[in-house]
Amino acid sequence: MTTNSQVERKDFNDVMVPCYNPMEIIPVKGEGARIWDQAGKEYIDFAGGIAVSCLGHCHPVMVNALQEQSQKLWHLSNVMTNEPAIRLARKLTEVSFAEKVFFANSGAEANEAALKLARRWAVDVHGAEKSEIIAFKQGFHGRTFFTVTVGGQAAYSDGFGPKPGDITHLEYNNLAELEAHMSEKTCAIMMEPLQGEGGLISPTSEFVEGVRALCDKYNALLIFDEVQTGNGRTGDFYAYQGLGVTPDILSTAKSLGGGFPIGAMLTTTELAQHLKVGTHGSTYGGNPLACAVAEAVIEEVSKPETLAGVKEREQWFRDGLEALNAKYDMFAEIRGKGLLLGAALNEEWQGRARDVLVAAGEQGLMVLVAGVNVVRFTPSLVITKEEVELGFERLDKALSSLKK
Ligand SMILES: *Cc1c(COP(=O)(O)O)cnc(C)c1O
């Protein structure tokens, strides 16, 4: 038996594919919005595992759901269905526009299903020439080859050989450009209803309403990637509900499982019928453990008081960031919605978001970046006032150390 302390960060470089460069510390325990590393040092977690740990770490409702299901049934495959999967699908149809659900294991897989459904629908209903997927620059949709190619950063999809075709990238929030480009050849538009990885960019209501209208005009499907914005993150259960624009297909993951891997594609009965038996699938999709946890998570998150609490906490964060900015003058803008927030660095601090992340880590605070100019915050949706205050004390020290 090896103990945890015998494993160190330097071992990562020996045994792991080097596509990540993790922080020096190795967390070993989490509770609420706190985590502890191997040395017992405590951190306040404003990162939430990149918008995943929506109920914080080891929330009792998740632990109970997992423990209970773990003694009943772990896995079947889709040769058989299971109770947690059907119950979770039912709940997802109750909290959204959706009538049908496909389960996957990640955001990328949910998006892959969404894109394949759109293409299959177009082939079935309109013919093979209706194949163009329009997406937006700086958008992020995952790392499978189809989804990463639809994503708006060529650097992520270059260098892997021939790419999936007929994908167009346009500027987010530029309705005129989209209007000029669209045609009956457009199969679907895929977009985030608030760009996360791209720097916390909200769509204007003119843009998002215009996208819907253009999809209707040209018989194209609207796919909302709500992998990051979904499950209460923006203060509505799904961000589309706050925008008043309903997509045809929606992908969800990250906070859906609160830390247990699961993704889902939501759609209508009319569209769903195009993925008939044998057209798509996943061994683990709809896994009973994952679905039991997600069921407990969305029951908790969809409560009106949890969603109202997100809006309240957004204000705590905005107030905290504004106060620090008054003191240190580092941010040009605080943006985003709910607990998907970004502090965009001003001219003087351009390119230094990672320095803030590292300095915060030294003070015992976890934050994220979105690109090189935005410090991102995606904490637990139920983070306490005390945890937020302690986190801001540490962020204050971190910014102070950078100013010196
Ligand atoms: C994280 C993310 C994904 C990818 O999800 P994975 O679970 O990493 O595959 C896709 N879209 C958006 C908007 C995301 O934020």
Side-chain angles (χ1 to χ4, degrees):
M1 271 284 284
T2 55
T3 66
N4 285 342
S5 59
Q6 286 173 294
V7 179
E8 294 172 36
R9 170 61 180 81
K10 66 177 169 52
D11 297 319
F12 178 96
N13 298 352
D14 287 342
V15 293
M16 302 284 246
V17 169
C19 62
Y20 305 114
N21 179 22
M23 295 169 75
E24 284 304 316
I25 59 127
I26 300 182
V28 293
K29 183 178 149 58
E31 193 185 320
R34 281 183 166 84
I35 50 186
W36 290 270
D37 70 11
Q38 288 172 311
K41 179 174 169 180
E42 179 204 271
Y43 297 80
I44 293 291
D45 187 5
F46 282 180
I50 318 187
V52 166
S53 307
C54 57
L55 295 177
H57 298 279
C58 299
H59 192 288
V61 307
M62 301 194 298
V63 172
N64 289 342
L66 186 61
Q67 276 176 348
E68 243 179 61
Q69 187 59 39
S70 74
Q71 281 156 10
K72 288 185 191 160
L73 187 67
W74 284 38
H75 180 74
L76 290 167
S77 88
N78 286 296
V79 173
M80 281 161 275
T81 188
N82 67 78
E83 293 179 354
I86 296 173
R87 285 200 305 261
L88 175 61
R90 174 77 63 198
K91 287 226 168 78
L92 286 168
T93 65
E94 285 164 3
V95 296
S96 74
F97 73 95
E99 297 160 330
K100 293 286 189 286
V101 178
F102 172 83
F103 287 119
N105 312 293
S106 66
E109 285 178 56
N111 283 331
E112 186 82 19
L115 292 164
K116 284 180 71 179
L117 170 59
R119 283 272 181 84
R120 180 56 67 109
W121 161 83
V123 167
D124 286 352
V125 176
H126 297 279
E129 56 297 332
K130 192 176 179 70
S131 60
E132 184 191 36
I133 307 286
I134 296 178
F136 297 98
K137 291 172 188 166
Q138 306 309 316
F140 184 77
H141 302 298
R143 297 286 198 156
T144 66
F145 205 18
F146 197 174
T147 59
V148 80
T149 307
V150 171
Q153 286 206 59
Y156 291 167
S157 54
D158 286 348
F160 297 101
K163 297 181 184 183
D166 216 359
I167 296 164
T168 304
H169 295 104
L170 302 176
E171 211 181 299
Y172 198 74
N173 274 334
N174 186 339
L175 190 59
E177 187 190 31
L178 179 66
E179 187 160 18
H181 186 87
M182 271 189 85
S183 73
E184 288 292 340
K185 272 206 63 205
T186 306
C187 163
I189 296 181
M190 177 174 258
M191 64 180 279
E192 295 161 85
L194 187 168
Q195 286 191 331
E197 304 298 311
L200 291 302
I201 311 295
S202 294
T204 63
S205 51
E206 183 211 5
F207 180 67
V208 73
E209 284 161 17
V211 170
R212 177 71 269 181
L214 286 170
C215 284
D216 294 341
K217 181 172 173 194
Y218 290 103
N219 292 307
L221 300 180
L222 178 56
I223 306 170
F224 273 179
D225 177 344
E226 292 232 28
V227 171
Q228 191 154 163
T229 54
N231 304 290
R233 181 63 45 193
T234 64
D236 293 294
F237 192 79
Y238 284 115
Y240 83 85
Q241 293 158 331
L243 294 171
V245 169
T246 305
D248 302 294
I249 304 174
L250 182 153
S251 57
T252 176
K254 290 204 166 100
S255 285
L256 177 59
F260 203 100
I262 183 169
M265 175 192 71
L266 314 185
T267 189
T268 61
T269 299
E270 191 192 338
L271 289 172
Q273 65 180 328
H274 295 281
L275 289 184
K276 18 183 207 300
V277 174
T279 53
H280 194 53
S282 160
T283 297
Y284 276 128
N287 169 275
L289 286 174
C291 291
V293 174
E295 193 190 347
V297 169
I298 73 171
E299 196 158 299
E300 197 64 27
V301 170
S302 61
K303 287 179 181 165
E305 59 267 34
T306 311
L307 295 174
V310 172
K311 292 181 177 146
E312 190 185 4
R313 285 160 178 76
E314 173 180 3
Q315 202 54 51
W316 300 348
F317 272 82
R318 285 185 178 275
D319 291 347
L321 289 167
E322 295 294 356
L324 288 181
N325 204 29
K327 203 162 161 187
Y328 298 113
D329 188 25
M330 291 174 75
F331 309 136
E333 189 188 10
I334 311 302
R335 61 198 189 208
K337 191 172 181 190
L339 290 173
L340 183 52
L341 294 171
L345 296 170
N346 64 20
E347 278 304 317
E348 192 192 336
W349 291 85
Q350 285 299 288
R352 297 194 57 189
R354 193 168 168 91
D355 294 349
V356 176
L357 180 148
V358 171
E362 280 163 11
Q363 298 299 332
L365 174 70
M366 302 291 184
V367 301
L368 293 171
V369 300
V372 297
N373 295 321
V374 180
V375 184
R376 180 170 36 154
F377 305 90
T378 59
S380 157
L381 306 183
V382 295
I383 189 169
T384 64
K385 182 109 202 187
E386 186 233 336
E387 289 163 336
V388 172
E389 281 169 358
L390 194 51
F392 271 100
E393 278 170 30
R394 294 177 185 183
L395 188 57
D396 190 335
K397 289 189 188 133
L399 298 187
S400 161
S401 76
L402 282 175
K403 270 284 186 183
K404 277 179 194 141

